[in-house]
Amino acid sequence: MRNAWPITAAALSLAVVLAVGCDSTQPSHSSAHVASLTINASADVLLWDCYEVWTDQSNPPDGNPDRFENSFCELSTEPGQRSIPWNYSLRITVIRAGTTTEEVVTSVSGVVGSSIQPDDRVDDFISLTDYDIRVSAAAPKPPLDNIYYLNGQRVGPGSPVYLNANTFSLGTPNILTASPAFVFDVTSGDTIVVRARKQSLSQMAQFLPQDPDPNLLLVATMSVDGSEVVPAGSSASGKEDGSGFTFSFVVP
Amino acid sequence: MSVKTWWLVLLCGFGLAWPALAQEEEAPKEPPAAEEKTTIAEPAPPKSGLEDPALHKWGGWTLSLAGWSPTLVGAEEEVATFESVGVNQPLYQESDASIKETVRILYHIPHDAGTIVLHYDAMDHEDELQNLLPGQFVFSETRGFPVLLGAFDDGLADGVVSTATRRTREFRLEYQKKAFDSRWAKGTWSAGYRQLSHSRLLGITYYAIVPNLPPIIPPVDLPPGFDPDSLIPVPDGVSQTSNFSGHGLGASLDVEFPVHPRVSIVSGLSIGLIRGTSESKFSATSSFYSLIPTPDVPLTKDELFELLSNPQPPAGDGEPYVPQIGDLLQTTLQANLNSTTASQMAQSYDAYIGVQVIAYKGLRVFATIRDVSYINVGEYIVPKPGPTNEKTALNAGYEGYTVGISYRF
């Protein structure tokens, strides 16, 4: 071999190319996930016996109630912890992986994840927790003169039966106008932050007796890809009027 | 040094040496046989053409340029510790390697009276570290001034971001002379003036990204003009700098072991003693929650959470003050310290070994492994509660493979 220049240059070039091109670092991988948030309220209450009030219009009365008059509820002595429809304010934000700033989420159906933003186009307390759907049989109530108490149901003060009997109209349960849950997309490494506060007692319809103290709690449940998660912080409010909670969760 | 760099050095050395080893030398021509039996003188061995060019009347020059990818060692900065499985692990600001240059200019004095060598090294490392775990307060703020650190004054953060700049400059002006020259090895010694500077800048920010404070949202009634974002925890910060510069003397020994007319193994060692001065600065920021009527009294975490969770109506006339959300503020603390050391003795050590190939007359190509260490090149000074401060001497090392060329003319 007379001239080593070409081979020397080729060997050096190969070494430089390998030094620059060799990279064993794997590209980062992020996974898409679906988060779902629901919020409920519960309180310690005494249950109510609600009846349909009928009258016997026959002359003379024949013992058959003919006409429905109204609904009537009276307090029972049975206690229970029941769901209560309660308005609350809510703000859901996410901190993207590798950043430190929060941004309000948007649900998969395009709903803004906050009711306290200046531009969210909804009332601060538009969100409403679910009604109490549990019903049991009320104690039979004997008729009085020609007034009959029929179809007795024992319910909580958050039941539509009780609320309708007392002409309370609270609206449709929703979470920032979504129902039954607020669903939004996240990716691995994102941090979800949820803040909520109960509406003040003075601003709510006065359907919930305050004596004894109902210990009204607002409680959130969050799941990612269908599995319930345990967040950092508190996912339940205190019992104090207008109290709330803040919690966060890092999507794995 | 990583396995990859070792492998690349070997590849470079092989790539350089193989063609030279494989090159055949021209065989000297046999003189024709004489018809008469007469004594024929042995022809003089032909010159290989690989010797360095002869010096001119004014001397000669050698220009050398090398590139290397030094890894910074011995200068890791612990920016925080984090709890893992019940044990506190240090979190280090490490460094990524990048290509740096080494320049040598040699002037060969006429009549082989020696060589004047100018050598210049410049190493810069600028690195960033970001470790964020929002809502998980597992980072201990180990570099801050230890008063009221963390969003809740517990010294913990849920995110750390740091930047570090490490910069070294070394200049050598030396006289070089042949030490020995034999069939097996050639050596040169050099000695002369050194100038060295080393600077560091470290900035750390400790965050409370998701402190999970009770929400400041309706129906909480805020006074007009009160910005709820003012309660977002102010990040704690630390800034530490050290600047050293000095000059002194140094000496070197370089040895070349020829293994082939074109290929040599080269190695060398250089030592320097530099006296200089060091300037250090420390600055730290932390904050705490307090109330406007008592701005210097920190609120505990429980007091803060109670106020934010269950705000009470303001007190009436003549009644004791009742804390209000609108009176909340964050008060900032600052700790600063500057120091200048009158005299500091630093040392430098530089060693290399590798392969050199004569590609052409006067043109050499080389690949070496190099390790440079600088000892006591600056200091960090950190204030502590009480009368004493903490001083830490700084060292820096660089190791990597070098590839370069030199040309003599």
Side-chain angles (χ1 to χ4, degrees):
Chain A
M1 188 181 301
R2 301 287 182 185
N3 188 354
W5 261 109
I7 296 179
T8 303
L12 277 176
S13 300
L14 176 62
V16 171
V17 167
L18 289 173
V20 173
C22 284
D23 183 1
S24 61
T25 302
Q26 296 299 317
S28 60
H29 174 69
S30 64
S31 302
H33 303 275
V34 177
S36 175
L37 177 70
T38 58
I39 296 182
N40 293 293
S42 64
D44 297 329
V45 298
L46 288 176
L47 302 181
W48 292 79
D49 289 331
C50 295
Y51 305 91
E52 294 177 2
V53 179
W54 290 71
T55 57
D56 182 0
Q57 296 296 314
S58 301
N59 192 6
D62 58 1
N64 293 319
D66 305 306
R67 188 173 74 186
F68 171 77
E69 300 293 342
N70 52 27
S71 296
F72 164 76
C73 295
E74 62 183 7
L75 197 60
S76 76
T77 57
E78 180 182 346
Q81 187 182 58
R82 293 298 186 94
S83 296
I84 299 292
W86 204 266
N87 292 112
Y88 58 96
S89 60
L90 178 63
R91 186 166 188 256
I92 310 170
T93 58
V94 67
I95 301 173
R96 298 299 177 189
T99 68
T100 60
T101 54
E102 296 184 41
E103 55 186 63
V104 176
V105 303
T106 302
S107 76
V108 295
S109 57
V111 176
V112 174
S114 171
S115 63
I116 61 168
Q117 304 286 104
D119 57 346
D120 55 34
R121 293 177 291 180
V122 295
D123 183 72
D124 286 352
F125 296 94
I126 192 170
S127 301
L128 181 71
T129 55
D130 282 335
Y131 291 91
D132 177 15
I133 61 174
R134 291 170 59 182
V135 177
S136 58
K141 190 173 179 66
L144 181 64
D145 295 336
N146 68 333
I147 300 174
Y148 296 82
Y149 302 94
L150 306 179
N151 299 323
Q153 294 175 302
R154 179 161 287 183
V155 296
S159 168
V161 173
Y162 171 84
L163 294 169
N164 291 336
N166 292 276
T167 65
F168 289 113
S169 177
L170 304 182
T172 305
N174 73 93
I175 176 168
L176 297 172
T177 73
S179 180
F182 189 92
V183 181
F184 54 101
D185 294 323
V186 290
T187 53
S188 299
D190 290 350
T191 301
I192 303 168
V193 183
V194 177
R195 300 177 174 88
R197 285 196 98 110
K198 296 179 291 185
Q199 172 63 291
S200 300
L201 178 64
S202 61
Q203 301 299 315
M204 286 293 295
Q206 301 299 302
F207 67 94
L208 182 64
Q210 294 299 303
D211 185 23
D213 187 349
N215 295 326
L216 177 66
L217 300 176
L218 198 65
V219 180
T221 303
M222 191 165 73
S223 61
V224 175
D225 295 335
S227 299
E228 188 174 331
V229 301
V230 178
S234 175
S235 58
S237 72
K239 65 178 184 178
E240 295 80 6
D241 184 24
S243 61
F245 58 77
T246 302
F247 67 84
S248 62
F249 178 74
V250 181
V251 181
Chain B
M1 191 183 298
S2 67
V3 174
K4 184 181 84 170
T5 53
W6 273 100
W7 179 76
L8 281 168
V9 169
L10 290 174
L11 178 67
C12 286
F14 180 75
L16 292 168
W18 178 69
L21 289 170
Q23 186 164 354
E24 297 174 358
E25 298 294 335
E26 288 189 16
K29 293 181 179 177
E30 292 289 339
E35 292 183 0
E36 299 177 358
K37 292 186 177 177
T38 58
T39 302
I40 301 173
E42 291 282 344
K47 291 187 178 178
S48 65
L50 300 177
E51 297 84 7
D52 288 333
L55 289 178
H56 302 279
K57 290 182 181 179
W58 46 265
W61 290 96
T62 297
L63 301 180
S64 174
L65 178 64
W68 68 317
S69 182
T71 300
L72 183 63
V73 296
E76 296 85 5
E77 305 272 6
E78 180 191 293
V79 298
T81 61
F82 70 95
E83 184 184 335
S84 174
V85 200
V87 177
N88 271 342
Q89 312 277 353
L91 186 65
Y92 288 112
Q93 170 77 68
E94 295 183 344
S95 176
D96 291 331
S98 56
I99 302 296
K100 306 298 174 188
E101 301 79 35
T102 300
V103 178
R104 285 166 60 93
I105 301 174
L106 292 80
Y107 172 67
H108 306 285
I109 303 172
H111 309 297
D112 286 328
T115 304
I116 305 297
V117 181
L118 268 72
H119 175 113
Y120 182 73
D121 263 314
M123 279 80 76
D124 289 279
H125 288 83
E126 296 186 13
D127 305 288
E128 292 186 3
L129 169 73
Q130 180 174 277
N131 210 320
L132 305 177
L133 296 175
Q136 302 177 51
F137 286 80
V138 295
F139 298 105
S140 295
E141 302 182 20
T142 55
R143 297 296 292 264
F145 186 69
V147 174
L148 297 173
L149 290 174
F152 307 121
D153 307 330
D154 54 4
L156 297 177
D158 64 357
V160 180
V161 173
S162 68
T163 58
T165 300
R166 278 70 62 92
R167 187 171 294 139
T168 303
R169 302 283 185 271
E170 184 181 12
F171 171 76
R172 304 176 193 173
L173 176 61
E174 297 179 327
Y175 172 76
Q176 186 182 76
K177 196 81 168 72
K178 184 189 297 181
F180 53 87
D181 187 354
S182 70
R183 179 183 176 187
W184 306 107
K186 302 175 186 176
T188 58
W189 63 267
S190 54
Y193 171 79
R194 301 270 177 107
Q195 194 175 60
L196 175 65
S197 67
H198 181 73
S199 63
R200 289 197 196 182
L201 173 60
L202 176 67
I204 309 171
T205 303
Y206 300 103
Y207 289 93
I209 305 168
V210 183
N212 287 326
L213 293 174
I216 313 299
I217 60 177
V220 172
D221 196 15
L222 298 175
F226 182 86
D227 183 8
D229 288 347
S230 66
L231 299 183
I232 296 175
V234 176
D236 294 339
V238 175
S239 173
Q240 186 125 54
T241 62
S242 171
N243 292 296
F244 170 85
S245 64
H247 52 88
L249 303 174
S252 307
L253 177 66
D254 298 281
V255 183
E256 179 181 341
F257 301 92
V259 297
H260 183 272
R262 286 181 175 270
V263 181
S264 303
I265 295 175
V266 292
S267 66
L269 177 65
S270 173
I271 298 174
L273 292 175
I274 296 97
R275 182 171 291 280
T277 58
S278 175
E279 179 185 327
S280 305
K281 293 182 182 178
F282 175 89
S283 176
T285 304
S286 62
S287 61
F288 59 91
Y289 291 97
S290 61
L291 295 166
I292 291 177
T294 54
D296 298 329
V297 179
L299 291 175
T300 66
K301 180 180 179 181
D302 291 341
E303 291 172 339
L304 175 67
F305 272 56
E306 177 61 26
L307 174 58
L308 295 176
S309 297
N310 305 306
Q312 301 299 313
D317 292 339
E319 293 179 350
Y321 169 74
V322 176
Q324 301 294 303
I325 292 180
D327 291 340
L328 275 172
L329 72 157
Q330 291 192 74
T331 302
T332 302
L333 286 177
Q334 197 100 28
N336 297 311
L337 181 64
N338 296 343
S339 169
T340 300
T341 303
S343 178
Q344 189 170 3
M345 177 66 79
Q347 304 96 48
S348 69
Y349 304 91
D350 187 350
Y352 69 91
I353 186 169
V355 174
Q356 177 180 274
V357 173
I358 301 175
Y360 187 72
K361 184 175 182 178
L363 181 66
R364 287 177 164 82
V365 181
F366 54 89
T368 66
I369 304 168
R370 185 184 178 195
D371 195 319
V372 184
S373 295
Y374 300 99
I375 310 299
N376 202 29
V377 284
E379 67 176 8
Y380 278 156
I381 184 163
V382 179
K384 296 293 180 186
T388 60
N389 301 318
E390 180 182 291
K391 292 186 178 181
T392 305
L394 301 179
N395 305 321
Y398 301 91
E399 61 179 28
Y401 61 93
T402 304
V403 177
I405 60 172
S406 68
Y407 181 63
R408 175 163 169 174
F409 59 95

